[in-house]
Amino acid sequence: MSTRQSILVVDDVLDNLRLLSGILADKNYMVRPVPDGVLAISAAQAEPPDLILLDIMMPEMSGYEVCEQLKTDERTRDIPVIFLSAKNEVMDKVKAFSLGAVDYITKPFQAEEVVARVETHLTLRNLQRRLTEQNHIMSETLQQLKATQDQLIHQEKMAALGQLIAGIAHEINTPLGAIRASISNISNALDTSLQELPQLFQQLSPERQADFFALLQTALGTTEHLSSREARKKRRALKETLEAHGITQAHTLANTLVNMGIYRDISLFLPLLREENTVSIVQTAYHLFMQQNNSRNILNAVDRASKIVFALKNYAHYDHSGQKLKADVIEGIDVVLTLYHNQLKKGITVTKNYEDVPFIAGYPDELKQVWTNLIDNAIHAMNGQGELEISVQIEGGHPPKPSHDGEREMPSYIVVRITDFGHGIPEDIRERVFEPFFTTKSAGEGSGLGLDIVCKIIDRHQGKIEVESQPGKTTFSVFLAIET
Amino acid sequence: MSKKAILCVDDESTILTSLGDQLQSHFGDRYVYEFAESADEALEVIEELNKDGLEILVIVSDWLMPGMKGDEFLIQVHQQYPTIVTVMLTGQANEEAIERVRREANLHHCLYKPWREEELIETLISRLQ
């Protein structure tokens, strides 16, 4: 590729063409002389020159027309055009510029003038090209940066999740344990019942059979759940009551009855309890009751496991659309709390103060990352032991007074406050906590990007974040705009 | 005449009920079964059983509980009552903690949730003889 710049010279007068070619060739430009407009246009389209010197007064097609054509074609639009003409009226010059020319030289011209202007415009054109190129590079780089940022945010999120997985696995194992045990219990109880029942009904009188069913009904109807401590108390009390009524094997009976939720008015069942084989009667009832109880356990365990799986799916979800969705702030916080339940259980009491708040337009996945970062930091600040308070309220939005027409409502916000009672943030670093890559955690423990990402996410929700801290108490307040 | 006791400790009541049902179904009335939902409560129960003159044979305890964890609890119990057989039942494998209990509380066995009923019963039978 030639490093010489090429200039297309257009003039119907051959002497002029020769003169200009000579002047420009002397300055080491590559000159392409052309005697008319039509040829000029096709030459420019075929091999776009770096600059065009254009005579105006030409037969068949004037310089103005040539210029107009050049400016409509993409290939030639950006080539600088300098008009050369004997016409010297202001209107002629104005017309030239209005057609897109960059300069106007009147004939007769001085060689030095032509050269100076040509050089100037070529330089300008080069600078322009470089600028366009650089803009293009910047724009590509910006795209890459944005993509990287998105990736970083996603990685942060997955890293946080990775930390939680061990605890979450345990959380799921517990309901699974309950389910497995319950099913084997039901199976055993059913086998036992199938053997016990026929014998039982042969032995019991019709009245006692009725009592048996009454006992069973009462047991199946209980919904109250006793803690182990309460159950122990009730067992003792019932044992004493039974002994007072002269019933033998009071200990075993009391245990079984309390396990069935029967400990209140037992006078109805005294006849049954005085039967000779009362222990096996009551245990038969218990085996039947157990099946329903274990079924209930299974349902509860399944609910519990589902809740955890839901929280996981919800958290790991990555919305690619970039569109704002309806965000339920409270649900998002609760999902994060569910995932952190295992860590919190090890020594942190959580207090929730939720007001009724509306949905907002936002990015639910990103908001969960905000809660994750803030809750994780809070746990870290307390070394895993202490109290965590989370409140969700509406603030702002005072309605305009009646006397002021046209006064707009103050914007209202959902305010989420996360408070920990940990070591606090020293005043000298309080400003820095939101800085990217700033972290007080030891190397490898934290990327330092958490709060920076939190800020960016909150920006995208037209919100703000504030922190108040003293040793022993730190509160992060997140304001999310409620758009009406 | 005085029966011996088996104590189960877990903060989840459904686990306690399941354990109780399994023990009752296999050992029937041979033993007294007691339950506690925390290490602190378990220590109270141990006191009560002592007062009533009941000997505790086995303690089956969860590891992850609010307050005192299972490892600390079993180690404390072992110091006072070295003859009690200790079994851990846990949903989370904290290897360090389990090792500590092996060393300092003579841990007999560690069961993982979800546990198989046969494994629980066999573990107990092997030490209840």
Side-chain angles (χ1 to χ4, degrees):
Chain A
M1 197 169 93
S2 152
T3 50
R4 281 198 302 167
Q5 313 231 327
S6 71
I7 303 180
L8 187 69
V9 184
V10 188
D11 201 317
D12 58 318
V13 176
L14 293 176
D15 277 343
N16 288 341
L17 274 184
R18 264 198 292 263
L19 182 57
L20 282 166
S21 297
I23 296 170
L24 295 171
D26 262 357
K27 293 292 175 183
N28 213 22
Y29 291 114
M30 193 178 86
V31 187
R32 291 152 63 191
V34 158
D36 72 66
V38 176
L39 281 174
I41 291 171
S42 55
Q45 285 173 347
E47 228 187 283
D50 295 304
L51 187 128
I52 301 176
L53 280 176
L54 191 49
D55 182 28
I56 295 180
M57 304 292 284
M58 294 188 288
E60 283 177 28
M61 205 179 182
S62 77
Y64 291 138
E65 284 169 305
V66 172
C67 186
E68 256 173 335
Q69 289 260 357
L70 290 171
K71 291 308 175 189
T72 52
D73 189 320
E74 215 173 49
R75 293 168 282 186
T76 53
R77 178 182 304 149
D78 292 325
I79 306 173
V81 171
I82 300 182
F83 275 120
L84 281 165
S85 185
K87 296 171 76 167
N88 197 7
E89 296 299 311
V90 169
M91 288 318 295
D92 302 312
K93 293 185 188 174
V94 168
K95 177 164 184 182
F97 284 114
S98 75
L99 286 173
V102 299
D103 213 343
Y104 192 107
I105 303 177
T106 46
K107 299 179 190 178
F109 49 76
Q110 298 281 29
E112 295 87 353
E113 189 189 345
V114 171
V115 166
R117 287 175 191 261
V118 163
E119 268 176 19
T120 303
H121 287 290
L122 280 173
T123 307
L124 257 174
R125 177 85 190 105
N126 283 338
L127 287 173
Q128 219 171 36
R129 273 209 214 104
R130 284 233 303 266
L131 191 61
T132 310
E133 251 176 56
Q134 277 181 357
N135 278 353
H136 187 67
I137 294 177
M138 294 274 237
S139 161
E140 264 182 17
T141 308
L142 185 61
Q143 282 299 92
Q144 268 178 14
L145 272 174
K146 280 206 185 126
T148 306
Q149 190 183 59
D150 277 343
Q151 242 186 12
L152 263 176
I153 291 181
H154 188 66
Q155 276 172 9
E156 263 286 293
K157 193 177 174 188
M158 290 299 119
L161 189 60
Q163 307 254 350
L164 297 174
I165 287 293
I168 294 174
H170 168 71
E171 291 283 298
I172 297 189
N173 275 338
T174 300
L176 283 182
I179 291 174
R180 183 185 264 173
S182 296
I183 291 185
S184 92
N185 288 343
I186 289 177
S187 174
N188 289 341
L190 189 54
D191 280 341
T192 315
S193 295
L194 285 175
Q195 290 172 9
E196 287 171 335
L197 286 171
Q199 285 179 24
L200 187 77
F201 291 117
Q202 282 173 13
Q203 292 164 13
L204 285 181
S205 66
E207 294 86 10
R208 297 292 83 78
Q209 284 180 21
D211 285 345
F212 175 84
F213 282 110
L215 184 71
L216 191 55
Q217 281 291 75
T218 313
L220 292 173
T222 45
T223 43
E224 195 192 337
H225 174 75
L226 296 172
S227 74
S228 53
R229 196 183 292 264
E230 289 165 333
R232 232 188 342 273
K233 272 197 226 134
K234 304 281 183 210
R235 270 187 237 129
R236 267 184 209 278
L238 185 56
K239 177 179 167 188
E240 281 164 21
T241 312
L242 292 178
E243 281 169 341
H245 277 105
I247 294 177
T248 53
Q249 297 178 288
H251 181 90
T252 313
L253 284 172
N255 277 359
T256 315
L257 287 168
V258 170
N259 283 348
M260 284 198 280
I262 297 177
Y263 46 84
R264 271 182 270 263
D265 190 18
I266 52 127
S267 49
L268 292 166
F269 306 118
L270 284 173
L272 201 58
L273 297 172
R274 291 193 208 281
E275 289 278 320
E276 200 186 311
N277 49 352
T278 177
V279 169
S280 67
I281 294 171
V282 169
Q283 287 195 338
T284 304
Y286 179 64
H287 290 135
L288 288 167
F289 162 79
M290 226 177 92
Q291 287 164 59
Q292 197 220 44
N293 206 29
N294 277 288
S295 305
R296 250 201 298 240
N297 277 357
I298 292 176
L299 282 175
N300 286 341
V302 167
D303 269 344
R304 174 82 173 278
S306 302
K307 196 172 145 213
I308 297 167
V309 171
F310 171 78
L312 257 181
K313 269 174 64 173
N314 202 310
Y315 183 83
H317 176 252
Y318 188 59
D319 178 43
H320 295 271
S321 73
Q323 281 190 325
K324 280 194 172 175
L325 306 164
K326 249 179 14 180
D328 183 343
V329 170
I330 289 180
E331 185 196 66
I333 297 175
D334 281 342
V335 161
V336 176
L337 284 174
T338 302
L339 292 175
Y340 272 93
H341 183 249
N342 190 263
Q343 279 198 31
L344 293 169
K345 193 171 145 178
K346 293 182 186 171
I348 296 183
T349 20
V350 179
T351 314
K352 302 199 266 192
N353 279 313
Y354 295 164
E355 264 178 27
D356 244 339
V357 296
F359 291 174
I360 53 169
Y363 307 96
D365 297 340
E366 294 186 4
L367 283 178
K368 285 190 208 79
Q369 240 180 311
V370 171
W371 317 135
T372 302
N373 268 293
L374 295 177
I375 290 173
D376 199 87
N377 284 350
I379 295 176
H380 193 256
M382 293 193 281
N383 267 324
Q385 304 284 327
E387 278 174 58
L388 181 69
E389 273 178 23
I390 303 184
S391 76
V392 180
Q393 294 153 325
I394 299 187
E395 286 179 17
H398 305 297
K401 301 192 190 49
S403 58
H404 294 252
D405 287 326
E407 182 181 284
R408 280 184 301 140
E409 254 188 48
M410 270 184 54
S412 59
Y413 294 95
I414 294 183
V415 186
V416 177
R417 289 198 172 82
I418 297 180
T419 306
D420 72 75
F421 296 87
H423 52 60
I425 304 175
E427 216 175 306
D428 55 342
I429 58 166
R430 204 167 301 156
E431 306 256 300
R432 303 196 59 197
V433 291
F434 294 104
E435 261 175 49
F437 304 112
F438 178 81
T439 178
T440 56
K441 293 184 182 161
S442 44
E445 257 191 39
S447 61
L449 285 173
L451 285 178
D452 175 55
I453 289 177
V454 160
C455 275
K456 292 193 164 55
I457 294 175
I458 292 176
D459 274 342
R460 281 154 75 130
H461 289 81
Q462 287 79 48
K464 58 181 173 163
I465 179 166
E466 289 171 359
V467 56
E468 284 167 61
S469 181
Q470 63 213 46
K473 185 171 175 192
T474 303
T475 302
F476 276 86
S477 306
V478 175
F479 294 78
L480 299 167
I482 302 176
E483 277 157 56
T484 42
Chain B
M1 180 59 202
S2 99
K3 289 207 256 201
K4 315 257 169 84
I6 299 180
L7 171 61
C8 299
V9 190
D10 194 310
D11 60 318
E12 306 258 348
S13 60
T14 45
I15 299 286
L16 287 178
T17 316
S18 300
L19 284 171
D21 286 343
Q22 287 181 346
L23 293 172
Q24 176 83 41
S25 127
H26 279 270
F27 299 110
D29 280 343
R30 247 177 294 159
Y31 306 104
V32 166
Y33 311 105
E34 288 292 347
F35 307 93
E37 282 168 4
S38 71
D40 287 329
E41 192 189 332
L43 290 170
E44 279 176 38
V45 172
I46 295 176
E47 281 286 304
E48 282 172 27
L49 290 172
N50 257 327
K51 266 202 316 215
D52 291 342
L54 281 163
E55 187 194 331
I56 304 176
L57 288 178
V58 185
I59 299 184
V60 179
S61 175
D62 185 23
W63 175 65
L64 184 61
M65 298 185 284
M68 203 193 305
K69 307 263 174 307
D71 56 345
E72 212 185 311
F73 164 65
L74 289 178
I75 290 174
Q76 194 173 324
V77 168
H78 186 72
Q79 282 169 359
Q80 264 189 298
Y81 309 94
T83 53
I84 298 182
V85 176
T86 53
V87 176
M88 262 215 310
L89 171 70
T90 178
Q92 202 161 31
N94 185 318
E95 290 305 329
E96 266 177 56
I98 299 175
E99 253 320 290
R100 269 188 71 215
V101 184
R102 270 195 233 280
R103 282 196 321 260
E104 299 177 40
N106 198 20
L107 181 69
H108 171 55
H109 195 61
C110 183
L111 286 165
Y112 294 96
K113 291 177 186 165
W115 72 95
R116 283 182 310 115
E117 188 175 345
E118 304 80 54
E119 204 186 338
L120 172 70
I121 303 300
E122 278 163 27
T123 300
L124 294 180
I125 286 181
S126 69
R127 291 304 294 264
L128 286 172
Q129 302 300 35

